[in-house]
Amino acid sequence: MKGITLLLTCLVYCANIGPIRANSPKVCLDGSSCVLGRFMSGNVSGSFEAFLGIPYAKPPIGDLRFSNPEEAELWNGTLSAINTTPDCIQRDYINVTKRIGGSEDCLYLNIYRPLNNTGRELPVMFFIHGGGFFTGSPSPNNVGPQYFMDTGDVILVVAAYRLGPFGFLSTNDEEMTGNFGLKDQKLALKWVKNYISAFGGDPDRVTIFGHSAGGASVHLHLMNNNKEDLFSKAIMMSGVGNSPFALPVNDPRDQVVQLAKAAGVTEAENLSSADLVQALRSIKPEDLLIAADDLKIWAEQPLVIFRPNIENDTWPGAFLTKDPMDPFIPLGTNTDIPWFIGNAPAKGEGLVIALRLASNKSLQDELNEDFIQRLSITLSLSGTCDTEAVIDALVTEYMDGKHELNNDTLNGFLELLGDRYFIHPTYRVLKSNVNSSRSDFRGILRFDYRGPYSYSPYYTNSSIDFGTAHYDDTLFLFDGPVGLSNGYSQQSPEAALVKRYVRLYQSFAENGYSDEFAVSGECNDLNFPNCENLLIVKDEEPFQTGDSWNSERMGLWDQIYDSC
Ligand SMILES: *[C@@H]1O[C@H](CO)[C@@H](O)[C@H](O)[C@H]1NC(C)=O
Ligand SMILES: *[C@@H]1O[C@H](CO)[C@@H](O)[C@H](O)[C@H]1NC(C)=O
Ligand SMILES: *[C@@H]1O[C@H](CO)[C@@H](O)[C@H](O)[C@H]1NC(C)=O
Ligand SMILES: *[C@@H]1O[C@H](CO)[C@@H](O)[C@H](O)[C@H]1NC(C)=O
Ligand SMILES: *[C@@H]1O[C@H](CO)[C@@H](O)[C@H](O)[C@H]1NC(C)=O
Ligand SMILES: *[C@@H]1O[C@H](CO)[C@@H](O)[C@H](O)[C@H]1NC(C)=O
Ligand SMILES: *[C@@H]1O[C@H](CO)[C@@H](O)[C@H](O)[C@H]1NC(C)=O
Ligand SMILES: *[C@@H]1O[C@H](CO)[C@@H](O)[C@H](O)[C@H]1NC(C)=O
Ligand SMILES: *[C@@H]1O[C@H](CO)[C@@H](O)[C@H](O)[C@H]1NC(C)=O
Ligand SMILES: *[C@@H]1O[C@H](CO)[C@@H](O)[C@H](O)[C@H]1NC(C)=O
């Protein structure tokens, strides 16, 4: 009877986990440190191996909060890596509930590899999740590895990194240097470089790829020079380091003071950096996240409060020492880093900034009550330009000249946000880099395929169809969160798209190229050399070629870029 209960329980709960066999997969990193994983069920194929929650850094708690990450010592014996670890503690403003969850002790990584991977070194794909540097999860429940494992040809690594104030707060001096989340990612990459060969991975063929804040992170890793040769290829989808959501704030130290004040630290203005950091270390993490609400100016805006910052290169472990407004990608010891870049349509990209503004009439009315001020906050226009004139020009181009957000101007408004935060910054990255003789640019990918699942209801808290939304393409790379994507039916065009889209990424990781790009056309209207343009659109043949830059709008943003 007990056996039957166990079996039934397993039928209900083990669907994603697969049979837990006696011969669990085990990998030894050296003579004394081993890791015990578990089998998970692939989607098409049988099972694969998962090693969940491997510590790559010391827990960033106590004095290590707001400090550069420190390498974790290897354990003695066998580490059980069969359960997911908590996400990094976060307040998720993208979710309408603005939920707080996770743990400060979160610097773990997950590794997935195909079965029977002996005798060949596989390319490694290192995924950096998105979420505006303040939310997101590396868990297999959110970043489901099944589709990549179905290829049988790649090892996938997904690491957690510190978020929000814990990852991106800086006193602008050595007391609290900032960029902790990015330094976490880099330390995880270093772990991969050191140990992935034990898993059958090729440490010289690591592709970093990311979406949204993950894409911006990839760009910043490229700007970081990669002196240590931690990766050899890069993919940036819907996010670059020069996007306004990722650009350094004007006065990082003032932000620390504001947060400290909101958290009840007395005389915060008058504290030294060292005392400020000490004070902030003694506050409960949940209380810090709630205090950070005070830094929002209107509704959820600015959406991304805590961001990467520019460090002095004399600071220990400095990560970002150049201004990402100049998105040039210097190449370190690697002379040949192939990369490609991509976006969803402007309107869909804009949705993740607009959130409930896209659907909620009373929020739209609030915007209209103080249109110029609230729009300029929503667009992250800095105070250094003539905001009124700039908004006039933008409203003329995008909203038929109407200073009002309503059903008639909504599409234009979303395109405005999408161009500001995603399309134009991508365009600038291309402009700054494709003519560099040392760069190995492989093309632009435009993803416009709305399947049965989309992030749109999650952003907007409504069922209105806005087409392909920001981050939707990840639903064709990963099994997504519950309610967003639970796989596609066998004969569906979506299942076929998953196969091709995942293969595109995998073959890029393998060879630095994908045949899908070979069928694509040149995007010539902007004089980008060697520029192949791959369109993934919902049609009989989803992989097509084409060129859809709006030159006029890009020109308008070029005029504003430096001053706003
Ligand atoms: C592992 O064992 C060695 C030798 O006994 C010891 O020096 C080291 O501190 C141990 N490491 C950990 C993480 O316990
Ligand atoms: C949003 O938050 C609620 C809890 O507050 C949670 O149940 C739900 O899963 C979250 N949605 C997503 C897509 O993360
Ligand atoms: C693959 O690995 C599984 C589990 O370790 C084993 O049962 C099976 O025989 C292996 N298959 C091949 C072809 O080696
Ligand atoms: C900070 O110090 C100045 C004088 O140095 C004082 O005038 C001011 O009141 C102090 N601020 C707070 C919040 O105590
Ligand atoms: C970096 O720090 C050094 C030493 O404190 C200082 O002399 C230099 O001016 C700083 N550089 C920048 C760009 O702030
Ligand atoms: C619109 O947004 C406001 C403010 O967040 C909220 O209180 C209200 O419930 C929302 N209305 C609808 C219909 O979702
Ligand atoms: C605006 O669009 C929404 C969603 O499509 C619709 O429910 C609403 O009735 C429209 N409002 C007006 C004033 O047309
Ligand atoms: C790249 O160089 C070519 C040849 O010099 C030039 O025609 C083109 O305008 C340049 N493109 C960009 C984006 O700078
Ligand atoms: C989200 O949508 C639900 C259902 O329409 C509504 O009741 C709720 O007020 C909305 N919440 C917010 C914060 O907009
Ligand atoms: C996943 O698995 C299901 C069930 O076997 C199958 O119908 C579907 O086509 C598979 N592929 C994708 C991409 O969901």
Side-chain angles (χ1 to χ4, degrees), residues 347 354 357-359 361 364-365 367-368 371 375 394-418 466 553:
K347 179 180 160 187
L357 248 184
S359 58
K361 178 80 170 59
Q364 295 181 358
D365 288 345
L367 174 76
N368 295 335
F371 187 79
L375 182 57
L394 293 172
V395 162
T396 301
E397 172 61 35
Y398 287 90
M399 296 170 72
D400 293 328
K402 302 203 178 64
H403 284 57
E404 185 184 335
L405 177 57
N406 56 37
N407 278 5
D408 295 335
T409 55
L410 180 58
N411 278 347
F413 171 76
L414 294 173
E415 286 170 11
L416 168 61
L417 297 184
F466 291 98
R553 288 183 173 180

Side-chain angles (χ1 to χ4, degrees), residues 171-327:
T171 48
N172 209 17
D173 56 28
E174 286 191 45
E175 297 300 334
M176 179 157 60
T177 55
N179 292 331
F180 305 121
L182 292 160
K183 292 166 183 170
D184 294 342
Q185 295 168 6
K186 185 168 177 178
L187 192 59
L189 277 166
K190 211 166 147 193
W191 196 98
V192 167
K193 182 89 182 172
N194 287 339
Y195 299 115
I196 205 65
S197 60
F199 294 83
D202 182 350
D204 295 324
R205 266 193 307 169
V206 176
T207 297
I208 52 174
F209 70 125
H211 284 60
S212 197
S217 299
V218 167
H219 186 196
L220 297 176
H221 282 283
L222 288 165
M223 292 185 76
N224 181 249
N225 247 331
N226 194 26
K227 284 191 204 75
E228 301 87 345
D229 254 330
L230 298 179
F231 54 87
S232 62
K233 298 175 193 81
I235 303 168
M236 293 161 264
M237 274 301 289
S238 294
V240 284
N242 55 317
S243 167
F245 79 79
L247 285 173
V249 296
N250 284 338
D251 186 348
R253 192 179 191 283
D254 180 59
Q255 197 175 54
V256 179
V257 171
Q258 296 312 318
L259 181 65
K261 280 167 71 176
V265 174
T266 46
E267 294 198 35
E269 295 98 324
N270 291 359
L271 294 181
S272 68
S273 293
D275 288 344
L276 265 176
V277 177
Q278 254 346 95
L280 286 175
R281 279 192 181 128
S282 67
I283 293 169
K284 267 188 27 202
E286 291 81 2
D287 292 345
L288 265 188
L289 289 173
I290 290 167
D293 278 355
D294 274 26
L295 279 67
K296 298 282 183 191
I297 302 174
W298 172 69
E300 262 53 273
Q301 308 295 337
L303 185 58
V304 182
I305 298 277
F306 303 105
R307 314 200 195 144
N309 63 290
I310 301 174
E311 295 172 77
N312 187 313
D313 57 18
T314 63
W315 297 349
F319 179 88
L320 179 64
T321 55
K322 302 176 192 83
D323 185 351
M325 275 286 275
D326 171 13

Side-chain angles (χ1 to χ4, degrees), residues 465-481:
D465 183 355
F466 291 98
T468 308
H470 179 76
Y471 226 65
D472 276 359
D473 80 297
T474 63
L475 299 173
F476 297 89
L477 292 176
F478 302 109
D479 205 10

Side-chain angles (χ1 to χ4, degrees), residues 536-554:
I536 299 177
V537 288
K538 191 163 189 167
D539 208 336
E540 276 169 29
E541 179 54 57
F543 285 69
Q544 301 177 10
T545 65
D547 192 354
S548 54
W549 291 107
N550 186 322
S551 313
E552 212 166 291
R553 288 183 173 180
M554 294 305 107

Side-chain angles (χ1 to χ4, degrees), residues 398-442:
Y398 287 90
M399 296 170 72
D400 293 328
K402 302 203 178 64
H403 284 57
E404 185 184 335
L405 177 57
N406 56 37
N407 278 5
D408 295 335
T409 55
L410 180 58
N411 278 347
F413 171 76
L414 294 173
E415 286 170 11
L416 168 61
L417 297 184
D419 279 352
R420 166 68 172 164
Y421 282 90
F422 298 95
I423 308 295
H424 180 254
T426 301
Y427 171 84
R428 293 294 292 210
V429 171
L430 291 171
K431 251 181 119 161
S432 303
N433 291 287
V434 295
N435 263 1
S436 150
S437 57
R438 293 177 65 207
S439 89
D440 199 358
F441 170 60
R442 291 300 160 89

Side-chain angles (χ1 to χ4, degrees), residues 43-44 147 150 486-492 494-496 498-499:
N43 195 65
V44 176
Y147 305 154
D150 282 342
N486 311 309
Y488 304 99
S489 67
Q490 201 100 52
Q491 301 306 325
S492 64
E494 286 79 23
V498 165
K499 237 178 143 181

Side-chain angles (χ1 to χ4, degrees), residues 488-509:
Y488 304 99
S489 67
Q490 201 100 52
Q491 301 306 325
S492 64
E494 286 79 23
L497 177 56
V498 165
K499 237 178 143 181
R500 278 179 81 178
Y501 197 42
V502 169
R503 190 51 89 176
L504 187 162
Y505 276 65
Q506 184 279 330
S507 88
F508 181 79

